[in-house]
Amino acid sequence: MRFPAEPFRIKVVEPLRRVTREEREQRIAEAGLNIFSVPADTIYVDLLTDSGTSAMSDNQWAGLMLGDESYAGSKNFYTFVETVRDIFGYPHVIPTHQGRMAENLLFTTLLKKGDVVPNNIHFDTTRANVEAQQAVALDLVVDEGLDPTADLPFKGNLDPEKLDRALAEHGPERIPVVMLTVTNNSGGGQPVSIANVKAVRKVCDRYGVPLFFDACRFAENSWFVKQREPGYQDREVIDIAREMFSYGDGCTMSAKKDGLVNIGGFLAMKNAEWAERITNLLILVEGFPTYGGLAGRDLEAIARGLREVLNEDYLAFRVGQVAHLGDLLVQAGVPIVKPVGGHAVYIDAKRMLPHIPQSQFPGQSLVVALYREYGIRAVEVGSLMFGHKDPKTGADVFPQLELVRLAIPRRVYTTEHMRYVADSVIQLFNEREKLRGLRLSYEAPVLRHFTARLEEIGRADVARSTPGRVEHSATR
Ligand code: P61
C-alpha cells in the first residue's frame, strides 16, 4: 500500500469552494443528471479527465515569462523542437494547439476514402478523425485487453497476428499508417511493451507500412516498461522512451497529458515530404509553422514539461498515486479494471450495480451519486457514452463494458484527496442497492453523452437515510 510521497511541495494553492449537499442536489438536477453540465466550481475533487488539468511547476511558470511572442522564429520554438528531437528522435516537429489537430492534419494528409488505420484501440478523437476521411478505424488490441479481470502487465499491446491478417486482407496500399496508442487510454490506460512495439514494427516492415505513435502518455508507458518488462529495470526512463520511438516513423501528441501543460500538442516525423504537406495545411488552419496555434510561452512550457515528466521520482509518485487509489478500492471489494492503468482507475459498474440493467445506465447512476453525495466528478464510459440504436432494427445496442473513470490530474491532488475519493466510493459501494437506474429524457443524435438529460427511476435517497456516512469538512 505504500508508495513514494509527493516529490514536490506546494507554493501556490487554488482554494476549493465549500458546497453543501443541498446545492449539489440542485445543481445536478438542473444539469439533467449530466455531469458535463455542472459548474466546475461546485466540485470538490474533479476526476473528469487528466487532460489539460496538470499543475505546472515553478520552472514551467518561469518559462512562461520568457515567452517570445514573435510571429515567426520565436526562440521558444527552437527550444521546443530541440527537446522533442532529443526525446522522440524525429527530425520534423510541427506544433499544434492540441492532440486532435495533430490527428486531423496527419489523417487529412495521408488518408483517402476506404483506407484502413489499425491501432491497438483508437481514442474517440482519433477514430473520429480517421472516419472524417471516410476511412476505417480498426482496433486490434490483444484479446485480454478487453477483459477487465485479466491482471496482466501489458494489456495495451496490439496483436501482431491480427495486424498481419489485416494487412494481408486489405493490402498495404489501403493502410497508409499503423498507429500505437501509449498508454492505451480506451482500454483502461494499459501499457504497451517494447517487445510488442518491436513485433508490430516487424509486421509493418514486412508490408512496407509506417508506424506512428499516439504518444499522449508516453512517459507513463515508459515507466511501466521499466517496472514490468524484463531487461529494462536498470534503464533510464528517457532511454526507454527513446528506444520505443526509434521503432516508429513519427507520432501525434497531446501535450495536455504527459506534456504537463494545460494546452498544446504536436506532430513529429521522419518523412520530409509528409511534413511539408502537413506544414502547408497547418498554415491554413493553425498558424505559422513556428507557433502552430500556440503562444511562444506555451511552447516553452511544453519543452520544460516534457523534461519534467521523465523524472523518475515524479513517475514513481504519479503512477503510485493512481495505483494507491485502486488498491484502496480493491481492498474494500469494489470491482475495478485490473491492473490499474497509468492515469485512471476504472470502476466496473456492471459488477458493482448488478441490480441496474445496462438499459438504465448503471455507470451514470454512480457518477450522479458520487457528485451529489460527495462532490466528486467522474465520467461514465459505458452505455450512455457508447450505447446506440441499431440503424436497421432500432433495438438498443450496449457496449461490452460499463465503466466509470476516475482520471487523476497530474500533481494536482494530494494523497489525502485520494483517500477521500476511496472512502466515498466505498461508502456508495456499501449502499449500492440504494442506487437507482436512470432513463433518458433528451438525447442528441451524435455524441449524446455530452448533452443528454436524464431522470431517476423511483428515486431513493441514498445519503440522508444512512448513519455513519463519510463526510468531509470541505464539502459541508
Ligand atoms: C481524455 F471525453 N484524451 O482522456 P486532445 N489521444 C488520446 C487521448 O487520450 C486524447 C487525445 C488523443 C482525453 C481528453 C478528451 O471526448 C473526449 O489534446 C489517447 O484532447 O485533442 C485525449 O487529445 C486527444 C476527453 C478528449 C473526452 C475528447 O480525457
Side-chain angles (χ1 to χ4, degrees):
M1 296 295 288
R2 297 295 304 164
F3 68 100
E6 285 79 354
F8 50 79
R9 55 185 177 179
I10 297 164
K11 179 147 43 188
V12 177
V13 295
E14 180 184 355
L16 295 166
R17 196 159 75 84
R18 287 155 58 107
V19 173
T20 59
R21 184 186 181 283
E22 288 63 38
E23 183 176 344
R24 291 195 300 268
E25 167 106 55
Q26 191 191 335
R27 295 287 187 173
I28 193 74
E30 285 166 3
L33 306 186
N34 188 328
I35 204 71
F36 286 95
S37 304
V38 165
D41 75 345
T42 66
I43 292 163
Y44 178 53
V45 181
D46 194 349
L47 307 182
L48 181 65
T49 178
D50 65 320
S51 178
T53 52
S54 298
M56 291 203 294
S57 66
D58 52 358
N59 178 49
Q60 286 176 293
W61 280 103
L64 294 186
M65 289 305 293
L66 302 176
D68 168 1
E69 306 306 340
S70 306
Y71 187 88
S74 154
K75 69 178 181 205
N76 311 113
F77 174 72
Y78 297 107
T79 312
F80 164 75
V81 169
E82 224 173 87
T83 308
V84 174
R85 282 185 185 151
D86 182 40
I87 299 166
F88 296 74
Y90 306 128
H92 304 287
V93 182
I94 300 163
T96 61
H97 79 274
Q98 62 182 76
R100 67 197 71 181
M101 180 52 90
E103 295 165 354
N104 185 280
L105 292 169
L106 182 71
F107 296 137
T108 306
T109 304
L110 296 192
L111 301 186
K112 55 184 189 316
K113 191 176 167 182
D115 281 348
V116 176
V117 179
N119 199 329
N120 40 2
I121 303 185
H122 289 80
F123 184 65
D124 65 358
T125 58
T126 326
R127 171 175 291 277
N129 274 301
V130 169
E131 291 174 353
Q133 303 303 319
Q134 296 185 287
V136 178
L138 208 57
D139 293 340
L140 302 180
V141 72
V142 291
D143 290 344
E144 56 268 29
L146 297 172
D147 175 0
T149 60
D151 198 346
L152 296 165
F154 291 107
K155 283 168 70 176
N157 285 352
L158 190 156
D159 189 328
E161 283 172 24
K162 290 185 193 169
L163 179 62
D164 199 302
R165 281 200 293 276
L167 278 154
E169 183 190 335
H170 301 288
E173 60 290 344
R174 283 187 56 204
I175 303 191
V177 65
V178 171
M179 301 285 300
L180 254 182
T181 305
V182 292
T183 57
N184 185 27
N185 186 8
S186 307
Q190 303 294 329
V192 174
S193 69
I194 298 287
N196 185 248
V197 176
K198 285 190 198 170
V200 167
R201 175 80 235 183
K202 226 174 168 178
V203 179
C204 289
D205 282 345
R206 206 173 308 139
Y207 292 87
V209 173
L211 172 64
F212 266 57
F213 290 94
D214 176 339
C216 299
R217 299 177 178 86
F218 76 99
E220 289 164 10
N221 200 91
S222 303
W223 176 254
F224 279 123
V225 167
K226 182 171 171 123
Q227 302 306 304
R228 296 180 183 173
E229 189 159 356
Y232 287 90
Q233 278 61 42
D234 298 326
R235 295 275 299 278
E236 280 187 46
V237 170
I238 189 169
D239 285 335
I240 297 171
R242 285 182 182 130
E243 180 181 342
M244 177 174 77
F245 291 124
S246 76
Y247 301 118
D249 298 282
C251 70
T252 58
M253 173 80 185
S254 166
K256 297 171 74 170
K257 286 84 171 170
D258 274 351
L260 295 177
V261 291
N262 307 117
I263 195 74
F266 58 87
L267 275 151
M269 67 196 69
K270 290 180 179 166
N271 187 316
E273 195 246 329
W274 288 359
E276 190 183 325
R277 283 164 58 198
I278 289 170
T279 301
N280 289 336
L281 203 51
L282 182 85
I283 295 168
L284 187 68
V285 296
E286 283 277 79
F288 191 73
T290 62
Y291 71 86
L294 294 169
R297 57 177 171 269
D298 296 327
L299 293 169
E300 188 64 34
I302 296 172
R304 293 176 184 219
L306 288 172
R307 297 258 178 232
E308 288 177 15
V309 80
L310 291 165
N311 177 293
E312 300 193 9
D313 287 340
Y314 158 76
L315 281 167
F317 165 72
R318 157 70 178 162
V319 175
Q321 189 188 44
V322 179
H324 180 63
L325 173 59
D327 286 345
L328 293 173
L329 297 181
V330 167
Q331 272 197 341
V334 179
I336 63 167
V337 174
K338 285 194 194 162
V340 172
H343 67 295
V345 173
Y346 292 73
I347 300 169
D348 188 339
K350 226 189 215 177
R351 278 190 290 148
M352 173 162 166
L353 303 170
H355 62 288
I356 305 180
Q358 248 189 321
S359 58
Q360 294 180 11
F361 310 107
Q364 187 64 12
S365 173
L366 178 56
V367 166
V368 170
L370 272 171
Y371 172 75
R372 188 168 52 208
E373 308 308 328
Y374 303 109
I376 296 166
R377 175 153 69 173
V379 70
E380 190 255 20
V381 186
S383 45
L384 183 59
M385 191 178 272
F386 296 121
H388 59 275
K389 298 244 182 274
D390 185 297
K392 283 196 194 109
T393 64
D396 284 321
V397 182
F398 299 111
Q400 193 183 338
L401 297 178
E402 181 78 21
L403 305 176
V404 169
R405 182 176 85 164
L406 306 167
I408 314 300
R410 294 169 182 77
R411 305 192 292 207
V412 170
Y413 292 114
T414 64
T415 302
E416 202 53 48
H417 284 117
M418 293 302 108
R419 288 206 194 98
Y420 172 72
V421 172
D423 286 349
S424 305
V425 173
I426 291 164
Q427 195 73 41
L428 283 179
F429 177 67
N430 292 336
E431 302 168 357
R432 58 192 176 277
E433 67 290 342
K434 293 186 181 165
L435 268 71
R436 291 288 166 267
L438 312 177
R439 69 175 147 247
L440 279 164
S441 58
Y442 165 77
E443 66 179 305
V446 284
L447 293 174
R448 67 179 183 182
H449 58 287
F450 289 124
T451 53
R453 294 183 70 84
L454 302 102
E455 47 196 37
E456 215 153 17
I457 302 169
R459 169 81 205 275
D461 195 329
V462 179
R464 270 177 285 197
S465 60
T466 313
R469 185 165 75 93
V470 179
E471 284 296 347
H472 194 286
S473 56
T475 62
R476 280 275 123 186

